[in-house]
Amino acid sequence: MRSTSNTIRIRGTVKAAAGVLAGALALSLTACGSDDDKGDGGEGTGTKASGSALALPKLDGTTLEVAAVWTGPEQANFKKVLAEFEKRTGAKVTFVPAQDPIINFLGSKIAGGQPPDVAMLPQPGAIKQAVEKKWAKPLGAEALGELRKNYSQGWQDIGKVGTEQYGVYYKAANKSLVWYNAEVFENAGASEPKTWDELLTTAQTVYDSGVTPFSIPGADGWPLTDWFENVYLSQAGPEKYDQLAKHEIKWTDPSVKEALTTLAQIWGKKDYVAGGADGALQTQFPNSVTQTFTGGDQPKAAMVYEGDFVQVNIAQTDAKIGTDAKVFPFPKVGDTAPVVSGGDAAVILKDSKGAQALATFLASPDAAEIQAKLGGYLSPNKNVDPAAYPNDVQRKIAEALVAAGDDFRFDMSDQAPQAFGGTPGKGEWKDLQDFLKNPTDVAGIQAKLESDAAAAYGN
């Protein structure tokens, strides 16, 4: 983390949020399995245009560009939100596909004199960089008003740099979930674990039944950072988590050694990982999900860890969420279960009436409810109607996130300078890929993580 001004750590404990999440998921998993569980929202947008209190200006003749790294269904669903903005204002909005790291992509666009009007930035560190480079523009009065009305203070704070508000966290993620193939669990006699030791027992039970326990997308570095963060938060606690996020303690700290050693209990057992380490390192995130929910009772793996957005990829299979595909909170390693969140913030790069209006729209429940209906999406907007979500699993996850208020921790790698926490093939992403390949070299990976972190943070 570059400074505490833009990535304010949310104080309090994660205990309340973890309890809400666990209870919510327990309530939800018996109530799903209807036809809409596939996350197909049909042709409707779910907008409340006729009864909405949101006032947007007429923007006939205005053209806007919005850049984001989203692809596939995630991109297609967001385009429906932009289409509603076009309908209400008369503006024409073009989606610009970006590449990771998005800061580098934006830099090339700005250098060429063609910056997008708005960019969806997936890291608080990226927001800080955009401000330091004088790319980002502060939110205007209308957007600020909508943001303050609809978001908890914690979600507002992580979009700030200093005292200025730059980001609207349009999309959130609950990154403390493990999804599993219900048929495999039933056949194996496996149960949902609540602790790390129970998770290891469940993994062995599944393995004994003839199915590999875990699908791990090692080809993408970011899911590996999420694995680490959940273990570290639960095991080392919120205070240490905050310190490591700011690089106030080193990656050679004993708490990091303990977390990596714990991770190696799964990553280091090749029979527990689909394809072994080599196979995992060739598996991208979408495939890690679909291979868990295809193949009937003999999929390539029984469980896949990641956030609520996994539902988008489950929807590409025949599995129904809540019946074939179920979920449990990431098991607690220490005293409390972790609650780690991520998100994407809308940041204005070309200040104009149209860009400010789009930021205002994205801060409203009107925009969020359109994408919520389509599935695979979670909003931190506290005024989104829970009924907008397409199934009970997603609804309860969303309600738990909002109920958590400020009692969560934001994704640690997303707080880091992008060179360390957000660049494919470099920094933490690459180091944890190396650790997945050789989980016995804890000290070596710690030293590499610390070297890369020190270079990126400048200390």
Side-chain angles (χ1 to χ4, degrees):
M1 187 170 68
R2 288 174 177 262
S3 76
T4 57
S5 63
N6 73 306
T7 51
I8 297 173
R9 302 310 307 132
I10 312 305
R11 299 301 168 191
T13 70
V14 299
K15 187 179 295 183
V20 170
L21 175 61
L25 290 177
L27 287 171
S28 71
L29 293 178
T30 59
C32 303
S34 63
D35 290 340
D36 67 353
D37 287 340
K38 296 274 290 180
D40 181 3
E43 295 300 320
T45 63
T47 181
K48 301 187 297 180
S50 60
S52 174
L54 180 66
L56 294 172
K58 283 297 180 183
L59 298 169
D60 296 304
T62 298
T63 60
L64 298 170
E65 289 187 345
V66 181
V69 297
W70 299 331
T71 60
E74 195 169 32
Q75 180 187 126
N77 291 349
F78 182 60
K79 284 182 176 179
K80 293 182 180 180
V81 178
L82 298 180
E84 178 63 19
F85 178 78
E86 291 179 321
K87 178 182 174 182
R88 294 200 197 181
T89 63
K92 176 65 177 175
V93 186
T94 300
F95 181 91
V96 178
Q99 292 84 43
D100 272 324
I102 193 169
I103 284 292
N104 292 357
F105 172 85
L106 295 174
S108 65
K109 298 289 285 186
I110 290 168
Q114 295 181 315
D117 297 88
V118 175
M120 309 301 294
L121 299 184
Q123 295 101 5
I127 298 175
K128 178 73 171 353
Q129 285 181 272
V131 172
E132 289 177 338
K133 293 174 182 290
K134 303 189 184 305
W135 298 347
K137 313 301 179 189
L139 297 182
E142 292 80 9
L144 279 173
E146 200 65 23
L147 185 74
R148 289 167 179 165
K149 181 170 64 176
N150 296 318
Y151 288 78
S152 72
Q153 190 62 48
W155 282 103
Q156 293 180 50
D157 287 344
I158 56 177
K160 285 182 179 179
V161 178
T163 59
E164 290 276 12
Q165 188 79 46
Y166 289 91
V168 172
Y169 271 88
Y170 168 73
K171 186 177 187 293
N174 184 317
K175 292 191 169 187
S176 297
L177 304 171
V178 180
W179 300 83
Y180 68 94
N181 186 309
E183 188 174 8
V184 171
F185 266 50
E186 184 177 354
N187 291 345
S191 57
E192 294 183 2
K194 292 183 172 58
T195 67
W196 183 263
D197 287 343
E198 290 176 2
L199 179 63
L200 298 178
T201 299
T202 295
Q204 186 63 42
T205 301
V206 167
Y207 175 76
D208 290 342
S209 76
V211 178
T212 303
F214 295 99
S215 178
I216 298 178
D220 299 315
W222 60 268
L224 304 184
T225 72
D226 293 343
W227 267 96
F228 171 82
E229 288 157 8
N230 276 274
V231 169
Y232 190 82
L233 175 58
S234 183
Q235 192 171 60
E239 184 176 352
K240 283 276 192 182
Y241 186 97
D242 293 345
Q243 291 172 344
L244 189 61
K246 303 175 204 176
H247 201 222
E248 291 179 350
I249 59 174
K250 294 184 177 182
W251 284 81
T252 49
D253 190 84
S255 62
V256 176
K257 177 182 179 180
E258 186 178 16
L260 292 173
T261 302
T262 298
L263 268 181
Q265 293 177 325
I266 290 175
W267 291 11
K269 294 197 71 169
K270 64 178 183 179
D271 291 339
Y272 274 15
V273 179
D278 290 341
L281 287 166
Q282 297 177 51
T283 302
Q284 294 181 320
F285 168 68
N287 293 337
S288 75
V289 178
T290 55
Q291 72 181 16
T292 305
F293 298 103
T294 53
D297 63 354
Q298 289 295 312
K300 289 188 177 179
M303 291 176 276
V304 60
Y305 154 72
E306 252 312 336
D308 57 281
F309 46 84
V310 162
Q311 292 179 92
V312 170
N313 305 97
I314 295 175
Q316 296 173 321
T317 74
D318 292 331
K320 292 184 181 294
I321 295 168
T323 53
D324 306 315
K326 295 188 177 183
V327 63
F328 56 84
F330 196 98
K332 64 179 182 179
V333 187
D335 293 336
T336 60
V339 177
V340 176
S341 183
D344 296 88
V347 175
I348 295 171
L349 303 183
K350 288 171 63 176
D351 198 5
S352 67
K353 183 178 180 181
Q356 290 285 353
L358 181 56
T360 302
F361 182 59
L362 294 177
S364 74
D366 294 28
E369 286 175 9
I370 296 169
Q371 194 156 347
K373 181 180 178 182
L374 300 171
Y377 167 84
L378 187 65
S379 174
N381 187 316
K382 63 186 179 183
N383 289 321
V384 168
D385 185 353
Y389 292 97
N391 59 62
D392 282 345
V393 170
Q394 185 76 1
R395 192 171 300 120
K396 295 300 183 181
I397 292 171
E399 289 174 338
L401 181 71
V402 171
D406 294 343
D407 289 340
F408 66 93
R409 287 297 187 271
F410 201 86
D411 185 301
M412 186 189 295
S413 64
D414 283 355
Q415 297 179 60
Q418 195 142 345
F420 179 67
T423 303
K426 294 184 179 180
E428 188 182 0
W429 291 23
K430 177 62 165 60
D431 297 340
L432 290 180
Q433 287 174 321
D434 290 344
F435 184 61
L436 176 61
K437 187 174 183 178
N438 181 18
T440 62
D441 187 20
V442 173
I445 292 300
Q446 280 188 273
K448 188 66 169 65
L449 284 162
E450 175 53 29
S451 175
D452 290 341
Y457 283 85
N459 61 352

